[in-house]
Amino acid sequence: MCRVAGAPPRILPPLALMLLAALQQAPIKATCEDLSCKTGFPEDVHSAVVSRSVHGGQPLLNVRFRSCDGNKKIHFGSSEPEDFRVGEDGVVYAERSFQLSAEPTEFVVSAQDKETQQEWQMRVKLTPEPAFTGASEKDQRKMEEIIFPWQQYKHSSPLKRQKRDWVIPPINLPENSKGPFPQELVRIRSDRDKSLSLRYSVTGPGADQPPTGIFIINPISGQLSVTKPLDREQIASFHLRAHAVDVNGNQVENPIDIVINVIDMNDNRPEFLHQVWNGTVPEGSKPGTYVMTVTAIDADDPNAQNGMLRYRILSQAPSSPSPNMFTINNETGDIITVAAGLDREKVQQYTLIIQATDMEGNPTYGLSNTATAVIAVTDVNDNPPEFTAMTFYGEVPENRVDVIVANLTVTDKDQPHTPAWNAMYRMTGGDPTGRFTILTDPNSNDGLVTVVKPIDFETNRMFVLTVAAENQVPLAKGIQHPPQSTATVSITVIDVNEAPYFAPNPKLVRQEEGLMAGSMLTTFTAQDPDRYMQQTSIRYSKLSDPANWLKIDPVNGQITTTAVLDRESIYVQNNMYNATFLASDNGIPPMSGTGTLQIHLLDINDNAPQVHPKEATTCETLQPNAINITAVDPDIDPNAGPFAFELPDTPASIKRNWTIVRISGDHAQLSLRIRFLEAGIYDVPIVITDSGNPHASSTSLLKVKVCQCDLNGDCTDVDRIVGAGLGTGAIIAILLCIIILLILVLMFVVWMKRRDKERQAKQLLIDPEDDVRDNILKYDEEGGGEEDQDYDLSQLQQPDTLEPDAIKPVGIRRLDERPIHAEPQYPVRSAAPHPGDIGDFINEGLKAADNDPTAPPYDSLLVFDYEGSGSTAGSLSSLNSSSSGGEQDYDYLNDWGPRFKKLADMYGGGDD
């Protein structure tokens, strides 16, 4: 057993920081024992000394529980849960505030495995710390008092010496103090407080500057206190300035600087930068090979033991071939190999649990954390490919290419799809002509023996190839296996029915043109390459004959003509005519081959030359305006030029008016012989003879247009335009266009007339602008004056609601109404007709009026209404009286608008 005493004057460095915190708290006494890999509490009874006053939430002590398996989940409990609580990290907290009695307080701390439900217990004994004596309290207060340095002010003498300020030592305050707060730190006072009433204050970050309110000072006593726990990881030190002033605010002392250092406590666990680290190491690596580096950081002071980390490997999985294949540098975190035997084919990956512990790796006081290092064993080429068989077999039909005839399979223990696994195949013998190649399947790593050149069964019936397989990269050094594997491939060629072939192909035949139909030209036969198959015969047929000049005998292949061969045909190119023939056998399956017959046609003088162009223009006067003409002959040398040009003897006017001169072998000039020739179109015959043997000649007509010309020799008269004339086809086309245009115009006129008739038929009777009768409206009653003004207007809006005349009572009808007699029954319109019904209503009324036998003729005198007898109104006949109003001026009717135009024409025209 080893025991650590709290607060001795001389102490080991690892406990220095812990004892600095004990200046504000009661020291804690603990016992410990040597560590061993035994799950449970390290001791049965744990004793600790704490202060008498316990506050709720105050940590009292830390119980330690050891687990050989770091993955166990332990739950802590207390036998006195109302007074004490145990956290997951083993820290015992006070649940409430109370005073410890003079006798030790005991309770039981339990730990339970959540998975196995196994439980361990430990008894805890808390002893209250002894009270300080009066002398010690006095000494403590004396140590915590800071006095302003005194200074003398000049009163009588001009110069007085002033005491120099001294440097105040910093105040060390541990972080994470549990209080109680505010916690007194030091007392600041001035020696002038005996004669003056002073006020003290502090300024700076933590006091009156952000973060404000951490430090406060009693303005009367000068007691400096801290109000909350400090965290060194946020602020490591505070720089304050203390001031002393009188009651009027006058400074009585120079400000003094106070530095408060936050003492680091081990309150942060190491944290790895990554929870999972990945690394690689080649298989077969020697001991001492670097693998990877893991790194952890600690938020505590890196210059103190709280932030000094040490690494170690907790476990390795799998543990083969050795449980200690790797080691780690405890300071840098570098992982290296320490044992040989890394083999990827056996173990592809190792998983290491790495632990980082602060306090320089102290297992008792240091805090730890773990991470996982995954080390993949990379492949090296330590295994060559091996064929799965010594001999492989395949077969291929003859004359086939790009056909896979055999699959070569190999095995390789290296990592798939890597250069150490990928196989390369090559042929070492058996294929001198290069008819085969071996490709590698990227997925299966098989070798694909492929035919790249046609194989003839009649020449080679079997191939025996020797092949070798090796990896893309050479074997690693020290490997005892041979670098490659060999095998043989036996390939059988299968005989198939091959197509007959013409020989030679193409076949060239030279023949003069003009060969008559039915003449034998040549024989074009084919051969069958199948010597080991029973074939009866070969049949021939024509496949392509553009001009349809040839035919072939289906049995013997004799080719004869069916038409005259013409070199000048459009199907002949460069004197060459091509025809294709087909030869077919009767094998299984039947096969056929094609052959091309090329006929080189030799020219004969079978075409007479012709003049070009066929039309020309010249002036009517004799001047340098000769016409250049060219002779054209479809034949070739020696049956073409040079040509002879001459004019015929008849008619005599040709040679009298014209002359022709040859200027080259193919060209001549035609010009006027006389001084003047009347403008017009003249046909000039020209005789052209070629140089063939025998000669061929022809008389060509040249249409010459003679016209009046200007000084430049250009036609200027209209006769030139007429002479330029149009051909018969153009004239017919123009006439057709004129006829079609006339027909269109006639059709348009007929359509317009029909449209006018339809428009007139839609009118009721006549145009309302030409007939004034439409202004006389029939209201059925004219009224009798003002006494008849009292009438219902709604009856005008709904005429169908009017009562028929037949049902009016006797005595109601007016005296001047029309006598009652039979009237035609016209259709009655509804009160609110649909707009689409208006047309139907009008048409029905029109039909009823046309079919009414009582209606007067259209051109008769119409009676609009009967006005009765004794009317005070005059007769309307006076309007047509020639005796009355003869001197009256009716010209004013022209000003009344178009409706009175008829009356104005009748009466306002004067004597007319």
Side-chain angles (χ1 to χ4, degrees), residues 141-142 144-150 166 168 186-196 198-202 217-224 242-245 252-254 256 258:
R141 287 194 302 271
K142 184 176 181 181
E144 296 175 352
E145 188 175 76
I146 298 176
I147 302 176
F148 279 91
W150 58 270
W166 62 76
I168 305 300
V186 295
R187 182 169 177 263
I188 300 173
R189 59 176 295 272
S190 172
D191 54 0
R192 296 172 60 87
D193 61 353
K194 296 180 181 179
S195 59
L196 296 174
L198 303 181
R199 297 293 183 268
Y200 301 97
S201 63
V202 291
I217 189 171
N218 190 316
I220 304 300
S221 63
Q223 182 67 46
L224 181 65
H243 306 269
V245 297
V252 298
E253 297 283 2
N254 289 333
I256 60 174
I258 302 175

Side-chain angles (χ1 to χ4, degrees), residues 38 86 151 171 193 201 328 337 662 877 882:
K38 179 181 179 182
V86 185
Q151 58 183 353
I171 300 174
D193 61 353
S201 63
I328 188 170
T337 61
R662 190 178 75 170
S877 61
S882 60

Side-chain angles (χ1 to χ4, degrees), residues 687-702:
V687 179
I688 305 176
T689 306
D690 61 19
S691 300
N693 188 13
H695 301 297
S697 64
S698 66
T699 300
S700 300
L701 288 179
L702 176 63

Side-chain angles (χ1 to χ4, degrees), residues 14-319:
L15 300 180
L17 296 179
M18 297 179 62
L19 292 180
L20 286 174
L23 292 175
Q24 301 301 323
Q25 300 183 17
I28 299 176
K29 298 179 181 180
T31 62
C32 64
E33 64 182 43
D34 293 337
L35 299 176
S36 61
C37 189
K38 179 181 179 182
T39 302
F41 292 102
E43 53 190 356
D44 295 334
V45 179
H46 185 83
S47 299
V49 179
V50 298
S51 60
R52 290 181 178 272
S53 298
V54 178
H55 303 279
Q58 175 182 351
L60 302 177
L61 69 151
N62 185 9
V63 296
R64 298 193 176 276
F65 182 86
R66 300 197 177 279
S67 175
C68 294
D69 186 0
N71 297 327
K72 286 184 176 296
K73 296 181 180 180
I74 304 301
H75 174 72
F76 295 98
S78 171
S79 62
E80 303 293 337
E82 65 278 359
D83 295 333
F84 304 101
R85 174 178 59 86
V86 185
E88 295 295 333
D89 54 356
V91 178
V92 180
Y93 298 91
E95 278 293 289
R96 61 186 181 89
S97 301
F98 58 91
Q99 295 287 333
L100 291 177
S101 61
E103 298 296 330
T105 301
E106 297 184 0
F107 62 94
V108 176
V109 175
S110 61
Q112 186 179 20
D113 189 344
K114 294 182 179 181
E115 295 180 357
T116 62
Q117 303 300 322
Q118 186 178 359
E119 186 174 344
W120 300 267
Q121 292 184 350
M122 180 182 67
R123 189 159 52 90
V124 178
K125 181 184 294 185
L126 300 181
T127 302
E129 62 181 0
F132 288 104
T133 62
S136 62
E137 292 178 356
K138 182 178 180 180
D139 295 340
Q140 185 179 14
R141 287 194 302 271
K142 184 176 181 181
M143 292 177 59
E144 296 175 352
E145 188 175 76
I146 298 176
I147 302 176
F148 279 91
W150 58 270
Q151 58 183 353
Q152 292 181 349
Y153 299 95
K154 57 181 182 177
H155 298 283
S156 59
S157 60
L159 295 174
K160 292 294 183 179
R161 187 179 65 178
Q162 177 177 332
K163 184 176 180 181
R164 186 173 61 186
D165 294 348
W166 62 76
V167 178
I168 305 300
I171 300 174
N172 295 327
L173 183 62
E175 64 174 336
N176 301 326
S177 175
K178 299 302 180 182
F181 296 101
Q183 179 179 349
E184 297 179 353
L185 300 180
V186 295
R187 182 169 177 263
I188 300 173
R189 59 176 295 272
S190 172
D191 54 0
R192 296 172 60 87
D193 61 353
K194 296 180 181 179
S195 59
L196 296 174
S197 176
L198 303 181
R199 297 293 183 268
Y200 301 97
S201 63
V202 291
T203 59
D208 62 341
Q209 299 178 16
T212 60
I214 296 179
F215 299 98
I216 59 174
I217 189 171
N218 190 316
I220 304 300
S221 63
Q223 182 67 46
L224 181 65
S225 305
V226 61
T227 61
K228 61 176 67 175
L230 304 180
D231 188 355
R232 189 204 67 84
E233 286 70 40
Q234 293 184 357
I235 301 178
S237 63
F238 295 88
H239 296 266
L240 306 179
R241 174 164 286 193
H243 306 269
V245 297
D246 58 14
V247 293
N248 295 324
N250 298 320
Q251 179 177 321
V252 298
E253 297 283 2
N254 289 333
I256 60 174
D257 294 329
I258 302 175
V259 178
I260 301 175
N261 292 329
V262 182
I263 304 303
D264 184 42
M265 303 294 291
N266 193 17
D267 58 343
N268 291 282
R269 294 181 178 273
E271 295 291 340
F272 283 91
L273 297 181
H274 305 285
Q275 194 60 34
V276 178
W277 297 78
N278 295 291
T280 59
V281 59
E283 62 175 331
S285 297
K286 297 180 180 179
T289 303
Y290 170 79
V291 179
M292 62 188 301
T293 300
V294 296
T295 304
I297 58 175
D298 196 315
D300 293 325
D301 188 0
N303 299 320
Q305 289 184 334
N306 295 337
M308 296 182 180
L309 306 182
R310 297 294 182 266
Y311 301 92
R312 70 188 184 100
I313 298 176
L314 296 181
S315 63
Q316 169 192 309
S319 59

